[in-house]
């Protein structure tokens, strides 16, 4: 947290209240000092005044947005001006929120909390697919553990995905990942209630959390949908012959079949109850390895009991 303006009694009171609510607060006397402090300490959020010596709030925000290391830093701008044009200028410079002085300290605390929460949620979303990431996946499984319901965790990735990147480049590879995300989303929607959860671990790895009864229809729909979509992403000649040709460093040509899916599934039910999200994911990952040993798209479900039988 970076302060804004020279310290006043009101400013000290705001700082005290932020600390009282559990925030660690750093204070800068002007815009230049704030910029230097941000570079040194890498805070989670900056509260800046529009009117500051040396570097004003607009210029400070622009510089933060121009630096890759601080471009995602949340910024709340404070100002004594209440005109709409000033708000527009602040938001256009890259501020995430805007408060007009005087304001209640409780409102500042609320704005800080909500901005930090939104930023945390944004960081957890894959920029490629828009799907939630690892932290949200673990929370979803934890929620199901706490509710006491039976659940299944499916771990999905694309077989021979590297051959796509090697043949066409990472931009085409991203199209395959996006196609899988869309296929999984359509599959999740198609199975109806209770709602299944879909997350993106990263790369070509995805996780679904659903009921055990939903595993079969969900994975069947996803495989069928993705294979059709993937065929259209290959160059026509490669799709027609069913493989791509790749050269290794020595110039030798090898054939790589078209992509398929490997899906590993862990079940948390009367046979085996997972209370640790990481354990459920680990077993699903283990079963995905089993699926990869089989030809074509394959779904491997762990049906071992708690005693390993």
């Amino acid at each position: 947290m970076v302060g804004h303006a020279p310290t006043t009694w009101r400013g000290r009171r705001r700082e005290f209240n932020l600390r009282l609510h559990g925030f660690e607060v750093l204070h800068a006397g002007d815009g230049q000092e704030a910029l230097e402090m941000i570079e040194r300490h890498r805070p989670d959020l900056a509260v800046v005044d529009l009117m500051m010596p040396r570097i004003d709030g607009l210029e400070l925000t622009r510089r933060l947005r121009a630096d890759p290391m601080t471009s995602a830093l949340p910024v709340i701008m404070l100002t004594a001006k209440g005109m709409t044009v000033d708000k527009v200028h602040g938001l256009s410079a890259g501020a995430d929120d805007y408060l007009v002085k005087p304001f209640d300290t409780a409102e500042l605390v609320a704005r800080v909390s909500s901005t930090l929460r939104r930023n945390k949620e944004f960081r957890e979303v894959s920029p490629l697919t828009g799907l939630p990431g690892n932290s949200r996946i673990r929370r979803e499984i934890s929620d199901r553990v706490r509710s006491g319901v039976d659940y299944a965790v499916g771990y999905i990735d694309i077989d021979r995905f590297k051959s796509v990147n090697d043949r066409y480049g990472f931009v085409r590879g991203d199209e395959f990942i996006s196609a899988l995300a869309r296929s999984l989303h359509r599959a999740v929607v198609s199975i109806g209630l209770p709602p299944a959860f879909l997350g993106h671990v990263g790369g070509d790895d995805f996780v679904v959390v659903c009921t055990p009864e939903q595993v079969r229809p969900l994975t069947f729909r996803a495989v069928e949908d993705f294979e059709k979509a993937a065929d259209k992403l290959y160059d026509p000649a490669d799709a027609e012959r069913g493989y791509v040709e790749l050269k290794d460093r020595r110039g030798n040509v090898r054939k790589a079949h078209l992509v398929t899916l490997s899906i590993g599934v862990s079940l948390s039910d009367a046979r085996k109850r997972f209370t640790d999200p990481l354990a459920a994911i680990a077993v699903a990952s283990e079963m995905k390895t089993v699926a990869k040993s089989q030809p074509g798209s394959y779904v491997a479900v762990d049906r071992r009991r708690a005693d390993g039988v």
Side-chain angles (χ1 to χ4, degrees):
M1 176 73 65
V2 174
H4 52 287
T7 303
T8 62
W9 177 83
R10 189 184 298 273
R12 287 196 297 269
R13 188 178 66 175
R14 285 199 294 263
E15 184 175 330
F16 172 79
N17 278 281
L18 286 169
R19 292 184 188 277
L20 194 64
H21 283 79
F23 298 106
E24 180 181 350
V25 182
L26 303 172
H27 189 275
D30 58 44
Q32 181 62 45
E33 184 182 346
L35 186 61
E36 294 168 358
M37 188 177 290
I38 290 170
E39 291 175 351
R40 288 197 308 271
H41 297 283
R42 301 298 182 196
D44 295 322
L45 179 144
V47 179
V48 304
D49 205 311
L50 178 63
M51 305 300 294
M52 293 189 295
R54 295 207 283 177
I55 299 177
D56 66 20
L58 293 178
E59 180 59 24
L60 172 60
T61 303
R62 291 190 188 101
R63 294 192 187 188
L64 293 175
R65 292 294 176 256
D67 186 340
M69 297 300 293
T70 58
S71 61
L73 177 70
V75 174
I76 297 177
M77 190 167 291
L78 308 180
T79 180
K81 298 181 178 181
M83 294 176 62
T84 301
V85 66
D86 295 311
K87 295 181 181 180
V88 170
H89 288 159
L91 296 173
S92 297
D96 296 271
D97 205 348
Y98 202 100
L99 270 174
V100 177
K101 298 184 287 187
F103 51 82
D104 186 85
T105 301
E107 183 180 6
L108 175 61
V109 171
R111 295 289 187 96
V112 167
S113 299
S114 63
T115 301
L116 286 172
R117 184 176 62 253
R118 287 196 307 270
N119 191 61
K120 183 176 184 293
E121 292 172 351
F122 176 78
R123 289 200 307 268
E124 291 180 353
V125 172
S126 164
L128 176 60
T129 63
L131 294 172
N134 295 329
S135 296
R136 181 65 183 84
I137 292 169
R138 289 195 295 270
R139 288 204 304 274
E140 178 66 26
I141 300 174
S142 296
D143 289 345
R144 304 216 178 198
V145 170
R146 283 193 295 271
S147 67
V149 299
D150 293 347
Y151 67 90
V153 176
Y155 204 134
I156 306 111
D157 80 2
I158 303 175
D159 302 319
R160 294 173 297 280
F161 177 66
K162 186 176 183 299
S163 68
V164 171
N165 279 338
D166 290 346
R167 173 70 175 84
Y168 301 118
F170 72 90
V171 173
R172 185 82 66 92
D174 283 351
E175 292 179 7
F176 278 76
I177 293 173
S178 297
L180 177 54
R182 290 191 295 270
S183 294
L184 289 169
H185 181 262
R186 285 191 286 265
V188 163
V189 171
S190 71
I191 60 173
L193 299 176
F197 170 85
L198 173 60
H200 186 188
V201 176
D204 62 319
D205 291 336
F206 293 80
V207 165
V208 293
V209 185
C210 60
T211 68
E213 295 75 21
Q214 291 172 325
V215 169
R216 182 177 178 83
L218 191 158
T219 55
F220 180 84
R221 170 68 186 268
V223 167
E224 184 178 51
D225 195 305
F226 173 72
E227 289 186 350
K228 290 179 181 178
D231 285 350
K232 297 177 182 178
L233 294 175
Y234 282 97
D235 284 354
D238 293 335
E240 185 175 352
R241 65 172 173 246
Y243 62 85
V244 296
E245 293 183 341
L246 303 170
K247 288 186 178 181
D248 60 23
R249 295 180 180 178
R250 297 182 179 180
N252 299 317
V253 177
R254 66 180 180 88
K255 298 178 181 178
H257 291 290
L258 304 187
V259 296
T260 51
L261 293 182
S262 284
I263 304 175
V265 180
S266 61
L267 300 176
S268 183
D269 53 21
R271 294 168 59 90
K272 181 190 293 187
R273 183 69 62 183
F274 288 104
T275 58
D276 181 356
L278 295 180
I281 294 172
V283 170
S285 180
E286 177 188 349
M287 299 312 297
K288 187 184 69 170
T289 301
V290 173
K292 281 191 173 296
S293 67
Q294 304 300 315
S297 292
Y298 196 88
V299 181
V301 181
D302 178 39
R303 300 190 182 279
R304 294 170 292 184
R305 297 201 304 262
D307 57 9
V309 178

